[in-house]
Amino acid sequence: MTARLLIVGPQGSGKGTQGVRVADSFGVPAISTGDMFRAAVAGGSELGTQVREIIQAGNLVPDQLTSKVVQERLSQDDAAQGFLLDGYPRNLGQVEDLDAFLASRDEQLDAVLELVVPRDESISRLTRRAQEQGRTDDTEEVIANRLAIYERETAPILEVYSARGVVDTIDGVGTLDEITDRIVAALQARGLTRPAAV
Ligand code: AMP
């Protein structure tokens, strides 16, 4: 069974953590553009040099570059039977790019998981992560910028996917296990089941 999934939520919604948990249980790779960009910056590659300042300011990396990175990643063998995208697409232009790429492979997204967390809760989670992990884009000013970009550019993609009937809205408040269980239940209701444990 293939599962082609996308998880969407504002910064601090826990989408990264839940994305990995859900991807693991479905046996598909979790593909996070934020993680790929941070790894490129840490590794000092040409891509890293191109995106470093953009990420530090909490702005969006240009669509053309982001879509190219994602398409290369989705073309690897381990994504042939499914994947979970985290953080891409992040605006309407990227939705178009992804649509065209998936259509060229005769594929489409099976489900879009919208993780909903009240603003106060996501800000307090981000502030805590800043203290624990020291991410340079977790300062108060940059967090505000990232949340504003989410509202303005990313939230509208959910309307497009809702019109296609693929969005599941998930309450993102609770324990990690509770939230994962909600996601798995929503996917099961769509007929997407996890491979049997071996
Ligand atoms: P994230 O870990 O998803 O919060 O991403 C961290 C940062 O990477 C973002 O604030 C952007 O600067 C950049 N980024 C991640 N995904 C994208 C994307 N799909 N389009 C543009 N920039 C992105």
Side-chain angles (χ1 to χ4, degrees):
M1 143 99 40
T2 60
R4 297 190 176 89
L5 311 173
L6 162 64
I7 190 161
V8 184
Q11 288 74 19
S13 62
K15 71 182 167 59
T17 306
Q18 290 299 331
V20 169
R21 290 169 73 106
V22 174
D24 282 352
S25 81
F26 276 82
V28 297
I31 299 177
S32 154
T33 41
D35 283 352
M36 286 195 287
F37 288 145
R38 278 185 292 278
V41 172
S45 65
E46 193 191 327
L47 174 66
T49 312
Q50 284 173 293
V51 304
R52 191 171 55 90
E53 286 180 12
I54 300 173
I55 289 177
Q56 231 147 42
N59 291 321
L60 292 187
V61 174
D63 291 351
Q64 209 189 357
L65 183 56
T66 307
S67 292
K68 179 169 161 266
V69 167
V70 172
Q71 289 173 14
E72 282 172 7
R73 179 65 188 86
L74 288 176
S75 301
Q76 290 172 19
D77 289 348
D78 66 339
Q81 293 307 314
F83 51 78
L84 181 143
L85 286 170
D86 161 12
Y88 177 94
R90 222 170 176 107
N91 61 24
L92 294 170
Q94 294 180 9
V95 171
E96 276 182 35
D97 290 346
L98 180 63
D99 279 347
F101 178 75
L102 292 179
S104 75
R105 307 205 311 180
D106 216 9
E107 295 175 0
Q108 56 188 16
L109 291 179
D110 298 307
V112 175
L113 302 159
E114 177 193 10
L115 211 50
V116 179
V117 171
R119 198 186 165 91
D120 288 358
E121 170 79 16
S122 51
I123 290 178
S124 70
R125 288 185 193 177
L126 284 170
T127 312
R128 207 163 48 230
R129 185 172 77 186
Q131 287 159 358
E132 287 166 10
Q133 299 179 5
R135 255 176 69 163
T136 51
D137 61 351
D138 274 347
T139 64
E140 202 176 322
E141 192 189 338
V142 176
I143 289 171
N145 185 36
R146 286 156 66 212
L147 287 172
I149 291 175
Y150 181 82
E151 294 300 331
R152 191 176 67 235
E153 304 214 23
T154 308
I157 77 171
L158 288 164
E159 287 170 34
V160 173
Y161 287 123
S162 286
R164 296 181 194 172
V166 289
V167 175
D168 288 313
T169 303
I170 310 288
D171 175 4
V173 180
T175 66
L176 287 181
D177 283 343
E178 280 166 354
I179 300 164
T180 307
D181 288 348
R182 286 175 200 149
I183 294 173
V184 169
L187 294 175
Q188 256 163 11
R190 288 186 179 277
L192 295 164
T193 49
R194 295 177 286 178
V198 278

